[in-house]
């Protein structure tokens, strides 16, 4: 205690704790709102932000509304987001109930398969769907050859929405799984005692009781849908279908002459407002979640519902879903990376080749993108974990009078779509004096990714912090320690498992991120996602598959390491 007391006395001399409180609050506010501010300014300027002759105007919004086809763009975005949400909710919730509360055969390994898509980017998943179910995809050709035709078309808004919904179903599954495993089994037993069959009990009792998880994931999936880039870009681009995100991408990056900064800024502001409203709506709808609590002070035994004769039909349904939407997607990527071309008409082992990997590993640009991705994820996750830890400690474990405001600011990036974050940082580095020094470097990528994923890391640390009794703080403070000494010597060591989980989650998100980087990278700072975007646009499917395979292998190796060595808790 003597050592802690001495450190505390030294700290009080300069009021170190207050300096940390205000420093963290100021830095968080600047980093969170810094990228948003130039976007808002740009939306109300008649010329590019950096043009000294630019004057205020609302004409950008008028031009945006009058832009040919813009009404269709917004309709496509809303329809795509709604369909993504509906498909994801239906399949994700059903899978969570069957895996989490029934005696479904193989439910343990099926549950592991369901979370695979959460470890990789939507770009990898989208390319997997293209490889298997695109016009010349493996499954499409097989259906045309043996069934006389393929009943799907991914190059429509409906097709895109179904693909996105099936891709997002694992997120709904994960959120509903936690709720469904905690539902009181006595309620299902009561339904069965009145003559209800197993499925009637599930759909009449269990699913209504997990309504908060369904609502939360529904709004989240709608947000993911309207801010998604990969699937609309890959499937909508060739058929001339645009959403707001592809409009921003094309107008901001791929403009023929120069980017339409004013219109891009106006569209970005509208998208930001919509997403912020949806995030607020999510919180508002969750206020009544207490009505659905079934696990209280009394003991309740965990149980599984016996499906009886329906066990194997249910297994076939769940396995078919996993095979057609997950296993085949990853399998298609792996197979395409190892063959010269992929077709069901020729056995794949007859066209096997290492040319795709030789092409990728023989290119300095492609190798650099892999190395940069690893560096951004490794270094960025470490910096992000430390920064988020300090935010959480100040917001949840200090007497800082603005701690609640700090937490709200830290969680605001939940409403910041990746493409807006990237666009905002792009504007910021060309607008703010001195910021140009990090332009086109991996430093700006790390900074942008870190701000975007503060809520993810906060969600890993805050619950663990809440479980640490405050009497530990009080004991140290009574002995003379200041706040910083208390949290670093007593609280932080207890949080090590949560910190490992935070680091692992940030590593995975940083490693798979690509949308935020689309506006920020330059030659020399490429990452795997941005390189894949370029290759997809060029139609180089072999190298794309090889890069995607490398990304999946590195991610899988890290997940295994994080779980078994670090003991990190990743996605439940």
């Amino acid at each position: 205690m003597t050592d802690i007391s001495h450190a505390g006395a030294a700290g009080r001399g300069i009021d170190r704790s207050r300096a940390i409180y205000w420093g963290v609050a100021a830095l968080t506010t600047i980093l969170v709102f810094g990228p948003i501010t130039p976007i808002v300014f740009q939306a109300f300027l008649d010329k590019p932000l950096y043009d000294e002759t630019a004057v205020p105007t609302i004409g950008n919004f008028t031009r945006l509304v009058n832009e040919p086809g813009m009404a269709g763009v917004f309709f496509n975005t809303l329809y795509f987001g709604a369909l993504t949400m509906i498909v994801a909710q239906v399949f994700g919730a059903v899978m969570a109930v069957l895996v989490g509360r029934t005696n479904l055969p193989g439910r343990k390994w099926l549950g592991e398969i369901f979370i695979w898509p959460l470890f990789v980017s939507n770009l990898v998943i989208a390319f997997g769907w293209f490889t298997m179910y695109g016009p010349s995809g493996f499954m499409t050709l097989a259906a045309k050859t043996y069934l006389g035709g393929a009943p799907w078309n991914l190059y429509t808004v409906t097709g895109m929405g179904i693909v996105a919904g099936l891709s997002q179903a694992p997120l709904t599954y994960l959120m509903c799984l936690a709720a469904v495993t905690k539902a009181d089994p006595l309620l299902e037993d009561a339904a069965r005692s009145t003559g209800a069959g197993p499925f009637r009990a599930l759909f009449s009792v269990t699913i209504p009781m997990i309504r908060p998880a369904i609502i939360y994931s529904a709004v989240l999936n709608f947000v993911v849908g309207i801010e998604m880039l990969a699937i609309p870009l890959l499937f909508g681009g060739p058929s001339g279908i645009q959403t707001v995100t592809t409009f921003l991408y094309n107008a901001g990056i791929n403009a023929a002459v120069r980017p339409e900064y004013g219109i891009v800024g106006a569209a970005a502001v509208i998208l930001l407002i919509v997403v912020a409203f949806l995030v607020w709506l999510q919180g508002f709808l969750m206020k009544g979640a207490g009505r659905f609590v079934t696990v209280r002070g009394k003991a309740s035994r965990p149980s599984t519902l016996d499906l009886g004769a329906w066990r194997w039909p249910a297994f076939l349904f769940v396995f078919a879903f996993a095979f057609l939407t997950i296993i085949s997607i990853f399998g298609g990527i792996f197979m395409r990376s190892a063959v010269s071309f992929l077709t069901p008409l020729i056995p794949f082992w007859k066209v096997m080749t290492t040319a795709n990997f030789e092409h990728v590993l023989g290119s300095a640009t492609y190798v650099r993108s892999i190395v940069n991705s690893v560096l951004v994820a490794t270094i960025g996750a470490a910096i992000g974990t430390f920064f988020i830890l300090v935010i959480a400690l100040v917001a949840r474990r200090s007497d800082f009078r603005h701690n609640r405001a700090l937490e709200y600011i830290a969680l605001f990036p939940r409403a910041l779509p990746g493409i807006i974050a990237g666009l905002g940082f792009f504007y910021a580095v060309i607008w703010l004096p001195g910021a140009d020094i990090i332009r086109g470097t991996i430093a700006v990528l790390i900074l942008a990714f870190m701000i975007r994923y503060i809520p993810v890391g906060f969600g890993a640390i805050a619950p663990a912090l809440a479980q640490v009794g405050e009497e530990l703080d009080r004991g140290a403070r009574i002995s003379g320690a200041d706040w910083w000494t208390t949290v670093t010597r007593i609280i932080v060591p207890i949080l090590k498992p949560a910190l490992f989980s935070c680091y692992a989650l940030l590593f995975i998100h940083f490693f798979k991120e690509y949308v935020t980087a689309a506006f920020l990278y330059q030659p020399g700072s490429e990452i795997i996602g941005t390189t894949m975007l370029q290759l997809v646009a060029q139609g180089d499917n072999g190298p794309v598959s090889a890069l995607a395979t490398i990304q999946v292998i590195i991610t899988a190796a890290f997940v295994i390491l994080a779980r078994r060595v670090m003991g990190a808790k990743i996605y439940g």
Side-chain angles (χ1 to χ4, degrees):
M1 288 295 183
T2 303
D3 184 49
I4 292 181
S5 177
H6 176 74
R12 285 196 302 271
I14 58 173
D15 200 7
R16 176 172 60 177
S17 299
R18 295 293 165 188
I20 294 174
Y21 296 165
W22 285 104
V24 169
L27 182 60
T28 304
T29 303
I30 292 171
L31 291 178
V32 169
F33 292 109
I36 300 174
T37 303
I39 291 180
V40 175
F41 273 113
Q42 182 62 81
F44 292 95
L45 293 176
D46 66 339
K47 293 188 177 94
L49 195 66
Y50 51 81
D51 193 329
E52 296 181 356
T53 64
V55 295
T57 180
I58 60 171
N60 293 324
F61 292 91
T62 304
R63 290 172 57 205
L64 180 66
V65 172
N66 294 328
E67 184 81 3
M70 189 52 61
V73 169
F74 281 100
F75 174 79
N76 290 341
T77 303
L78 295 176
Y79 176 59
F80 176 73
L83 189 56
T84 297
M85 175 189 69
I86 293 170
V87 174
Q89 295 312 109
V90 171
F91 284 96
V94 169
M95 296 303 156
V97 171
L98 291 177
V99 172
R101 287 308 294 271
T102 72
N103 61 340
L104 185 80
R107 62 183 187 144
K108 184 175 181 180
W109 58 267
L110 283 170
E112 284 290 321
I113 291 175
F114 284 148
I115 66 173
W116 286 0
L118 299 177
F119 297 136
V120 299
S121 69
N122 285 325
L123 181 59
V124 172
I125 299 297
F127 184 75
W129 278 91
F130 170 81
T131 301
M132 298 303 286
Y133 297 98
S136 300
F138 185 89
M139 291 291 196
T140 303
L141 293 178
K144 290 179 178 178
T145 302
Y146 302 110
L147 301 178
W152 55 81
N153 179 10
L154 307 188
Y155 286 75
T156 64
V157 182
T158 299
M160 288 160 42
I162 292 174
V163 168
L166 294 174
S167 301
Q168 287 300 119
L171 182 61
T172 303
Y173 162 81
L174 193 65
M175 292 186 170
C176 291
L177 184 66
V180 78
T181 53
K182 295 177 182 178
D184 191 348
L186 296 177
L187 300 175
E188 294 166 350
D189 293 341
R192 295 299 302 274
S193 67
T194 62
F199 287 104
R200 178 68 181 274
L202 287 175
F203 291 100
S204 298
V205 177
T206 305
I207 288 184
M209 291 308 300
I210 63 172
R211 193 181 303 170
I214 293 177
I215 293 173
Y216 186 87
S217 56
V219 179
L220 183 58
N221 277 322
F222 185 71
V223 170
V224 170
I226 65 176
E227 70 178 35
M228 186 180 293
L229 175 64
I231 290 175
L233 188 66
L234 199 61
F235 299 119
S239 53
I241 298 173
Q242 279 196 323
T243 61
V244 172
T245 52
T246 57
F247 170 79
L248 290 173
Y249 180 79
N250 291 324
I253 294 179
N254 294 336
V257 181
R258 66 173 183 174
E260 287 281 355
Y261 289 116
I263 291 181
V264 168
V269 166
I270 292 174
L271 180 61
L272 181 62
I273 292 173
V274 171
V275 173
F277 169 75
L278 290 172
V279 171
W280 171 85
L281 178 64
Q282 187 180 53
F284 176 79
L285 293 175
M286 290 298 292
K287 286 183 178 179
R291 297 186 296 116
F292 299 90
V293 174
T294 63
V295 179
R296 301 186 185 274
K298 62 180 181 180
S300 61
R301 58 179 177 84
S303 67
T304 57
L305 190 64
D306 186 4
L307 293 177
W310 289 100
R311 286 183 71 225
W312 289 104
F315 168 79
L316 291 176
F317 170 72
V318 175
F319 178 77
F321 175 83
F323 178 80
L324 294 174
T325 66
I326 300 175
I327 297 174
S328 66
I329 300 304
F330 282 91
I333 293 172
F334 297 154
M335 286 194 298
R336 182 63 186 88
S337 69
V339 297
S340 53
F341 58 93
L342 186 63
T343 174
L345 304 178
I346 301 175
F348 74 90
W349 56 85
K350 292 186 177 181
V351 288
M352 290 187 68
T353 179
T354 59
N356 295 321
F357 289 98
E358 291 173 358
H359 179 67
V360 168
L361 298 178
S363 167
T365 300
Y366 299 159
V367 172
R368 186 169 57 239
S369 70
I370 298 171
V371 173
N372 285 343
S373 292
V374 174
L375 288 175
V376 167
T378 304
I379 299 173
I383 298 173
T385 299
F386 174 77
F387 183 54
I388 294 167
L389 169 64
V390 178
I391 292 175
L393 290 171
V394 174
R396 292 288 182 90
R397 215 52 176 250
S398 77
D399 58 355
F400 184 45
R401 62 179 178 177
H402 301 299
N403 56 355
R404 294 298 296 169
L406 173 61
E407 181 172 340
Y408 289 137
I409 292 172
L411 296 180
F412 182 80
R414 289 184 302 181
L416 191 62
I419 198 164
I420 303 280
L423 186 62
F425 270 94
F426 171 74
Y427 284 156
V429 295
I430 64 176
W431 181 47
L432 298 176
D436 193 63
I437 192 173
I438 62 173
R439 184 179 181 182
T441 67
I442 64 172
V444 72
L445 299 182
I446 290 174
L447 189 61
F449 293 1
M450 184 177 71
I451 300 308
R452 175 156 159 71
Y453 291 111
I454 286 178
V456 172
F458 194 92
I461 294 176
L465 187 60
Q467 295 175 352
V468 180
E470 294 187 5
E471 62 272 11
L472 297 176
D473 307 55
R474 288 193 294 267
R477 300 300 291 272
I478 291 173
S479 70
D482 71 343
W483 174 81
W484 181 250
T485 302
T486 300
V487 297
T488 54
R489 297 196 181 184
I490 296 177
I491 306 301
V492 172
I494 300 175
L495 295 177
K496 281 184 179 179
L499 297 180
F500 286 143
S501 296
C502 178
Y503 178 85
L505 286 170
L506 291 181
F507 182 98
I508 291 170
H509 282 86
F510 283 25
F511 191 66
K512 71 179 184 177
E513 180 60 41
Y514 70 98
V515 179
T516 307
F519 286 94
L520 299 175
Y521 82 96
Q522 290 182 3
S525 63
E526 309 93 338
I527 58 175
I528 292 177
T530 57
T531 301
M532 287 179 61
L533 276 176
Q534 290 181 321
L535 291 173
V536 166
Q538 298 168 8
D540 293 337
N541 296 335
V544 173
S545 300
L547 273 174
T549 299
I550 292 171
Q551 186 178 41
V552 171
I553 291 173
I554 294 175
T555 302
F558 175 80
V559 169
I560 294 172
L561 176 68
R563 281 178 165 177
R564 297 185 179 180
V565 178
M566 299 167 58
K569 185 178 181 181
I570 307 175
Y571 296 126

